Amino acid sequence: MKLMTFTVPCYNSAGYMSKCIDSLLKGGDEVEILIIDDGSKDETGAIADRYEREHPGICKAIHQENGGHGEGINQGLKHATGKFFKVVDSDDWVDEKALRRVLSAIRGMKAGEEADPIVCNYVYEYADGSPSKPICYRHVFPDGKIVRWADTKPFGPSEYLTLHSAIYRTEILHCCGRVLPKHIFYEDNLFVYDPLPLTEKVLYLDEGFYRYLIGRPGQSVNEATMVKRWDHQMLVTKEIFKAHDLEALRGKNPKLARYMNHELALMMTIATVFTRLNYTDEAESEFKKLWAEARALYPKTARRMRWRSIAFF
């Protein structure tokens, strides 16, 4: 079994995907790299095929009709054979030193004592040459030690686990069974959030593993794009809210429930802000429906969200 599966969703990524894949190849035979060609119209598919030919047993090209980023993750998970699963977007890359430490940590895990997620730092790399900005979790988790959620410290107000920081054990994702929606942006928040109640043990490695490029034209995290796609934010946030009863989880795993409540509040705030910035009657109506549905489904959690979220007012 491979130690790690990397899934690289690609859509018209010919101009930059090689930097991403080349960084993953530093893992050698212990990794597999699934390059998902999401119905690209440029040379992405041909580049994926070339990597498969040149690196047999490591790279695999998977071609699909256009289904969006989430469907790329779905297909990657469907074909994954690695013990751990990591999504790396095609315009991002990983740090070689950190990759070697992650693989060494996985290699050293004993059967039955594996971490469920591995958490690493990630680094904002700015396209305009601005200084890099690392996002760290060293005051939440001890470095290099597998711990249970009860042994963790509180997350800071603006901190949460992301697609860039979380590496899930593949079995956890299969047990979760979440199928991400097609043609929807920001679904990566659901991908990270939904499996959390299935996790028990966490390993944090204080390494700048994931390098997250900011500032490429057309990115989904551009503010104007996020306002335009308010309905995507709304759909994903509704799915996140429906995913788990945090009041029930609070009695079983209070620290995990506290963190998930923290992340849910952040997602509700983001969805509300960008929906209201749309300044349309439709968006305002959906904002009200979001909170009405939340109150109807999990009233205690919704009430907590309401009074903690400045975006409600």
Side-chain angles (χ1 to χ4, degrees):
M1 175 185 284
K2 298 278 190 176
L3 294 184
M4 187 181 297
T5 295
F6 287 107
T7 290
V8 185
C10 299
Y11 178 71
N12 292 346
S13 303
Y16 44 80
M17 62 190 285
S18 290
K19 180 176 181 177
C20 172
I21 298 167
D22 288 346
S23 74
L24 305 178
L25 284 168
K26 300 297 177 62
D29 292 333
E30 292 183 308
V31 306
E32 70 174 349
I33 304 169
L34 305 179
I35 308 168
I36 315 296
D37 170 28
D38 187 33
S40 300
K41 296 178 173 60
D42 63 0
E43 294 300 309
T44 294
I47 294 172
D49 289 337
R50 175 171 60 80
Y51 272 102
E52 182 176 56
R53 288 194 306 271
E54 294 178 354
H55 302 277
I58 297 177
C59 292
K60 181 177 182 179
I62 298 173
H63 304 278
Q64 64 180 30
E65 293 183 4
N66 182 258
H69 187 264
E71 182 61 12
I73 297 175
N74 292 337
Q75 289 300 315
L77 188 56
K78 179 180 177 180
H79 290 86
T81 66
K83 183 178 290 187
F84 282 80
F85 183 86
K86 179 64 179 172
V87 181
V88 181
D89 288 339
S90 58
D91 53 352
D92 300 331
W93 63 96
V94 303
D95 177 79
E96 181 178 357
K97 174 179 172 288
L99 172 59
R100 296 192 185 282
R101 188 180 179 198
V102 169
L103 293 175
S104 176
I106 297 172
R107 200 182 305 121
M109 292 179 188
K110 297 179 181 179
E113 299 179 9
E114 302 98 334
D116 297 319
I118 300 172
V119 176
C120 293
N121 306 329
Y122 62 99
V123 181
Y124 287 110
E125 300 282 1
Y126 294 95
D128 64 2
S130 299
S132 301
K133 178 183 177 182
I135 303 298
C136 304
Y137 303 88
R138 59 178 64 106
H139 66 281
V140 179
F141 307 101
D143 179 32
K145 181 181 179 181
I146 296 178
V147 298
R148 296 184 179 274
W149 284 104
D151 301 315
T152 63
K153 296 179 181 179
F155 286 72
S158 62
E159 294 173 343
Y160 60 103
L161 300 178
T162 70
L163 189 73
H164 320 304
S165 59
I167 306 170
Y168 275 111
R169 189 157 58 87
T170 308
E171 183 181 359
I172 292 289
L173 296 173
H174 285 310
C175 289
C176 175
R178 169 66 67 173
V179 177
L180 298 175
K182 293 184 178 181
H183 301 295
I184 293 294
F185 288 86
Y186 317 116
E187 85 301 324
D188 53 301
N189 294 304
L190 181 58
F191 171 80
V192 174
Y193 181 89
D194 201 17
L196 284 171
L198 299 175
T199 66
E200 296 180 2
K201 300 183 288 293
V202 185
L203 172 65
Y204 170 61
L205 300 176
D206 190 1
E207 301 282 350
F209 177 66
Y210 193 105
R211 303 303 169 120
Y212 179 25
L213 181 66
I214 292 291
R216 182 178 63 80
Q219 279 189 312
S220 61
V221 293
N222 175 279
E223 182 178 335
T225 301
M226 294 179 77
V227 172
K228 180 180 178 181
R229 293 175 178 155
W230 64 269
D231 52 335
H232 294 229
Q233 290 276 8
M234 186 65 66
L235 185 150
V236 169
T237 301
K238 286 181 179 180
E239 287 298 310
I240 287 175
F241 196 96
K242 292 189 296 184
H244 301 291
D245 182 350
L246 298 188
E247 297 305 320
L249 182 62
R250 193 178 300 277
K252 302 174 183 177
N253 195 336
K255 286 217 174 164
L256 176 57
R258 177 178 177 174
Y259 166 68
M260 292 180 67
N261 189 84
H262 166 72
E263 182 167 331
L264 177 59
L266 188 60
M267 293 301 103
M268 293 284 282
T269 299
I270 291 172
T272 301
V273 166
F274 284 104
T275 297
R276 304 201 85 177
L277 285 175
N278 195 259
Y279 298 118
T280 64
D281 291 341
E282 179 187 8
E284 185 67 15
S285 174
E286 289 301 317
F287 154 72
K288 293 177 180 178
K289 286 181 182 178
L290 170 67
W291 287 95
E293 291 176 16
R295 287 193 296 269
L297 187 61
Y298 296 126
K300 289 184 179 180
T301 300
R303 188 161 53 248
R304 188 177 294 109
M305 296 296 111
R306 173 179 176 176
W307 294 114
R308 290 186 179 182
S309 173
I310 61 171
F312 180 82
F313 301 101

